[in-house]
Amino acid sequence: PAQPLCGFSNAVVQILRLHGVEDYRAHDVLQDPDLRQGIKDYSNWPTIPQVYLNGEFVGGCDILLQMHQNGDLVEELKKLGIRSALLDAEKDQEKK
């Protein structure tokens, strides 16, 4: 997360940061071809990065971006007990 090695991974990290999500794990699958192929086989999803919430596969960067844009990510985080930082930012904006 500190230095994503591709633009799609960077986009996922930035979306999570926007929502204030700090407690997550990331793995550099570029270092292990077997792991990279294994995760694709496991999820039946052809691209990396792959996002899992509470162990459940959500999708790749495109899906997470769509969820961010349409508000679904806020709701999914809420189910996990995570309050999106964007809700606080919206409240602050309304006060102005």
Side-chain angles (χ1 to χ4, degrees):
Q3 293 182 318
L5 298 176
C6 83
F8 297 111
S9 294
N10 186 50
V12 167
V13 168
Q14 294 306 318
I15 291 168
L16 293 175
R17 284 183 185 157
L18 279 172
H19 287 271
V21 178
E22 297 175 0
D23 186 18
Y24 65 94
R25 293 188 303 181
H27 301 279
D28 182 359
V29 298
L30 297 176
Q31 299 300 317
D32 186 342
D34 291 335
L35 177 62
R36 184 170 67 226
Q37 187 56 49
I39 195 70
K40 291 176 182 181
D41 294 342
Y42 176 78
S43 65
N44 197 26
W45 191 262
T47 60
I48 301 290
Q50 295 187 3
V51 178
Y52 291 77
L53 296 177
N54 204 28
E56 185 177 327
F57 178 64
V58 173
C61 175
D62 54 340
I63 301 299
L64 194 70
L65 179 59
Q66 182 181 27
M67 291 175 70
H68 166 68
Q69 291 172 333
N70 67 21
D72 289 347
L73 186 54
V74 170
E75 294 303 314
E76 289 301 314
L77 292 174
K78 187 177 183 180
K79 291 177 188 175
L80 300 173
I82 300 170
R83 179 177 169 79
S84 172
L86 291 182
L87 294 175
D88 296 331
E90 287 175 7
K91 243 194 245 179
D92 290 344
Q93 207 54 3
E94 289 173 4
K95 289 179 182 177
K96 292 180 180 180

